[in-house]
């Protein structure tokens, strides 16, 4: 067999199982690697080999060529997934002397990577806010986790005045408290209204610390009451609990790791792994005990605390709130609930950004991404819930997913050292530059600007690092990558529409995807694991009791343990095609629909076809395939994204200095920004006068 024939066979069958010895499989592996992968029959290939019980399985994740053989793959029940390449930088010259020359700071220099700054006691005055705006701040974050409503109201008043003085616009972001667990300690209020804890607590390594859920216990040096009354039901002996200062760096003196020794009634007796000086507001994080699944119980705290709802309603009436950062987002249902709550307050134009902070949010990420208006990668908490060696890969994958859908993605915890120092460390500067080259859209500053000693310097330093990194960003490669991904996604849409048309008649097997008791409250067991593989948010949200959550999570983890799959940048839609579960068909509809709406593939006719697909499957219609796509119904891209991508390509060819976008909702400008043009985008907003039946109001102002 020649290398060319070997590739053609693998592409046609997609998955070939060989019962062979290790030597035979090694020979085949070497033959495939040495083959010309640039052959016309295979544009890109990702080879994954795994040897299990002397069986060699070679899985190919290919581009559009393999999708043409989807009918053969459907019969085998194998899942198809895609790979994505990382964005690369491009040096116009390898002269190191040019690299070390000063970047040449200029007033008002354009920065494509946006800076979001947390406002607190260090950035409360008009003068400091003016300096941060001039340095590059484009959005102000009000964190409802700490601080009273009057303090936040005064901060926003000062921000409005600073915008008037500098003639620079700044978005307002409210960050919720949500499901955060904290240590209850008495606090005092500073003259400006900011709460503070006057007495730090010294903890020595090996010291015994008791966390208690009893409400009648006051905080002492050894006994710390927590705000969540069921924490003792979530932990087991040997678990690790992290306690750190609010917006702490993780490596400073206010970071404490505790090992659970035993649980007695409402008390959790722990042993300190390290010494620490605990100061300020202390937050509690239960670290995941497993390495590759979800075994920990999740707390059943509500999505919005009472203070969250009061503050959002009050500040939303007085100020223009542009975004809500939804803390501890777990599933797409969290985004829907947040949207309904904001709409009930009349905040229809306020966008919702999901904060990815736990292992559960990673398992449900594709569903969260489809429902959210943007993503915030909370690296402080997510870094505690996964292995350290996996953090870089997780960050790159999350950024790649957001880039493919054209949704903004921000990262946190970048220059923690600038809380007390005027200059970042070498690792921090490199971290920022690498994030920009990976495709991150914004940097969110926490303690650096909230309580740090150098808020203006921190903003200016990060902005300059971002500008230099953007100067070597390979815009052409990024553009070509997105165009290629859109072409592949078009083929996925075709295959999904055709296959779900045939699957519409098999709705009678829906009960197989539900729990054993016949209830429709959620999928369990193997069916739940199958749905979870396609990110249908089937990981339990733990809104019930902790005991019920335990059964759901453990059952799901056991089922997932028997599955193997190949990770990719797109959802395994092929697996959805095989599923007889109506919930899985719903997941396929929602995921493909998000691509059609936010760009990547399909047209307006695709949206209509998907809508009919949804209605047909829900109605149990059988027979011919009105759902089967016609070539005329599935052009390469929808009209709006085609316009946006063409504008970016044309601006690059003529070396334009500016792209002007007329918009009312911002969606068009967002699609243009998805392709990351090297020149700024000037958005001209056309306000609209709308009537809600009671009064007229102006949208888009």
């Amino acid at each position: 067999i020649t290398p060319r024939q070997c590739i053609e066979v693998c592409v046609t069958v997609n998955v070939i199982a060989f019962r062979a010895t290790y030597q035979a499989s090694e020979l085949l592996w070497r033959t495939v690697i040495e083959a010309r992968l640039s052959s016309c029959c295979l544009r890109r290939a990702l080879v994954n080999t795994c040897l299990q019980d002397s069986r060699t399985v070679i899985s190919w994740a290919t581009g559009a060529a393999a999708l043409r053989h989807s009918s053969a793959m459907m019969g085998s029940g194998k899942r198809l997934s895609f790979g994505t390449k990382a964005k690369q930088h491009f040096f116009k010259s390898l002269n190191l002397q040019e690299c070390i020359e000063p970047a040449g700071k200029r007033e008002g220099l354009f920065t494509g990577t946006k800076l979001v700054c947390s406002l607190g006691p260090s950035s409360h005055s008009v003068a400091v806010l003016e300096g941060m705006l001039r340095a590059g701040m484009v959005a102000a974050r009000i964190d409802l986790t700490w601080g009273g409503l009057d303090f936040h109201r005064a901060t926003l008043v000062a921000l409005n005045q600073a915008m008037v003085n500098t003639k620079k616009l700044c978005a307002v972001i409210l960050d919720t408290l949500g499901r955060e667990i904290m240590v209850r300690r008495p606090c005092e209020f500073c003259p400006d209204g900011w709460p503070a804890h006057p007495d730090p607590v010294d903890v020595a390594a090996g010291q015994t610390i008791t966390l208690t859920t009893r409400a009648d216990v006051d905080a002492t040096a050894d006994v710390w009451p927590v705000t969540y009354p069921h924490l003792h039901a979530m932990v087991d002996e040997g678990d690790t609990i992290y306690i750190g200062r609010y917006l702490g760096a993780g490596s400073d003196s206010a970071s404490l790791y505790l090992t659970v020794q035993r649980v007695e009634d409402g008390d959790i007796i722990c042993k300190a792994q390290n010494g620490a000086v605990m100061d300020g507001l202390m937050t509690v994080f239960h670290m995941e005990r497993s390495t590759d699944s979800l075994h920990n119980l999740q707390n059943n705290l509500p999505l919005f605390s009472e203070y969250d709802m009061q503050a959002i309603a009050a500040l939303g009436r007085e100020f223009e709130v542009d975004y809500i950062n939804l803390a501890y987002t777990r599933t797409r249902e969290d985004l829907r609930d947040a949207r309904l709550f904001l709409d009930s307050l009349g905040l229809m134009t306020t966008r919702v950004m999901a904060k990815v902070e736990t292992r559960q949010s990673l398992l449900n990420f594709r569903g969260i991404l489809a429902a959210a208006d943007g993503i915030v990668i909370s690296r402080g908490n997510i870094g505690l819930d996964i292995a350290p060696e996996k953090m870089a890969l997780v960050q790159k994958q999350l950024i790649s997913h957001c880039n493919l859908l054209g949704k903004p993605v921000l990262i946190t915890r970048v220059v923690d050292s600038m809380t007390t120092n005027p200059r970042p460390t070498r690792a921090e500067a490199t971290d920022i530059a690498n994030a920009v080259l990976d495709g991150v859209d914004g940097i969110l500053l926490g303690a650096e600007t909230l309580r740090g000693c150098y808020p203006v310097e921190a903003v200016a330093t990060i902005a300059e690092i971002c500008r230099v990194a953007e100067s070597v960003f390979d815009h052409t490669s990024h553009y070509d990558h997105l165009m290629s991904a859109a072409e592949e996604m078009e083929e996925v849409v075709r295959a999904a529409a055709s296959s779900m048309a045939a699957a519409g008649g098999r709705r009678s097997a829906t009960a197989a995807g539900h729990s054993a008791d016949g209830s429709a409250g959620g999928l369990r067991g193997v069916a739940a694991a199958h749905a979870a593989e396609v990110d249908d948010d089937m990981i339990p949200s733990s809104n019930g009791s902790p005991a019920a959550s335990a059964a759901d999570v453990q059952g799901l983890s056991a089922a997932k343990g028997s599955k193997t799959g190949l990770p990719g940048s797109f959802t395994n839609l092929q697996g959805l095609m095989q599923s007889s579960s109506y919930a899985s068909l719903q997941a396929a509809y929602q995921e493909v629909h998000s691509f059609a709406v936010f760009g990547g593939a399909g047209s307006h006719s695709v949206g209509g076809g998907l809508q009919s697909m949804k209605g047909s499957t829900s109605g149990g219609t059988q027979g011919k395939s009105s759902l089967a796509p016609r070539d005329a119904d599935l052009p390469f891209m929808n009209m709006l994204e085609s316009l946006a991508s063409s504008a970016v390509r044309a601006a690059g060819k003529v070396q334009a200095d500016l792209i002007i976008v007329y918009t009312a909702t911002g969606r068009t400008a967002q699609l243009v920004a998805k392709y990351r043009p090297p020149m700024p985008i000037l958005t001209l907003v056309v306000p609209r006068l709308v009537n809600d039946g009671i009064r007229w109001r102006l949208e888009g102002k």
Side-chain angles (χ1 to χ4, degrees), residues 400-607:
S400 295
H401 277 78
C402 295
N403 288 167
L404 287 170
L405 253 63
K407 293 195 176 182
V409 53
L410 288 74
I411 63 170
T412 65
R413 309 294 285 274
V414 288
V415 286
D416 292 330
S417 66
M418 290 197 73
T419 304
T420 55
N421 299 316
R423 181 183 175 93
T425 65
R426 295 175 295 276
E428 291 171 339
T430 305
D431 180 35
I432 297 171
N434 284 330
V436 172
L437 297 176
D438 286 340
V440 74
D441 297 288
I443 306 291
L444 194 154
L445 300 181
E448 304 94 330
T449 56
L450 183 136
R451 63 169 180 265
C453 301
Y454 308 95
V456 178
E457 291 81 357
V459 176
T461 300
I462 295 176
E464 194 60 35
I465 295 174
C466 292
R467 292 186 191 110
V468 174
E470 290 166 6
S471 67
V472 297
F473 186 85
D474 194 346
H475 300 275
T476 302
S477 176
H478 177 80
Y479 182 94
D480 294 340
H481 169 62
L482 292 183
M483 296 295 286
S484 176
E487 181 182 357
E488 293 176 1
M489 191 59 200
E490 179 195 4
E491 297 292 341
V492 174
V493 172
R494 293 178 189 272
S498 300
S499 301
M500 285 197 289
R506 299 197 300 267
R507 185 171 171 264
S508 59
T510 302
H514 291 265
S515 56
D517 59 1
S519 65
L523 302 181
R524 297 171 186 263
V526 176
H530 174 79
E533 284 187 358
V534 293
D535 301 286
D536 192 26
D537 289 356
M538 291 300 167
I539 304 298
S541 59
S542 299
N543 290 328
S545 64
S549 302
D552 290 346
V553 174
Q554 291 172 359
L556 178 60
S557 302
K560 282 184 68 65
S562 63
K563 291 284 184 179
T564 59
L566 184 64
S569 62
F570 294 114
T571 299
N572 294 328
L573 292 175
Q574 190 69 25
L576 285 170
M577 301 172 196
Q578 319 297 327
S579 175
S580 59
S581 169
Y582 174 66
S584 295
L585 292 177
Q586 291 288 89
Y589 162 77
Q590 292 168 349
E591 180 111 12
V592 178
H593 179 67
S594 69
F595 272 88
V597 170
F598 292 102
S603 66
H604 294 295
S605 61
V606 172

Side-chain angles (χ1 to χ4, degrees), residues 117-124 128 132 141 143 145-146 151 190 192 194-197 242 244-255 277 279-283 413 416-421 445-456 458:
C117 302
S118 302
L119 303 188
S122 294
S123 50
H124 187 65
V128 174
M132 294 169 63
R141 170 182 178 245
D143 195 351
T145 302
W146 196 229
F151 180 88
C190 301
D192 58 4
W194 184 258
H197 296 281
Y242 171 79
R245 184 181 182 183
Y246 164 64
L247 295 182
S251 60
D252 53 21
S253 60
S255 298
V277 179
D279 188 17
L281 175 67
M282 295 191 294
T283 60
R413 309 294 285 274
D416 292 330
S417 66
M418 290 197 73
T419 304
T420 55
N421 299 316
L445 300 181
E448 304 94 330
T449 56
L450 183 136
R451 63 169 180 265
C453 301
Y454 308 95
V456 178

Side-chain angles (χ1 to χ4, degrees), residues 158 181 194 282 291 367 646:
I181 302 176
W194 184 258
M282 295 191 294
T291 58
S646 299

Side-chain angles (χ1 to χ4, degrees), residues 133 201 222 463 517 525 601 606 623:
L133 287 171
V201 180
D222 299 323
D517 59 1
V606 172

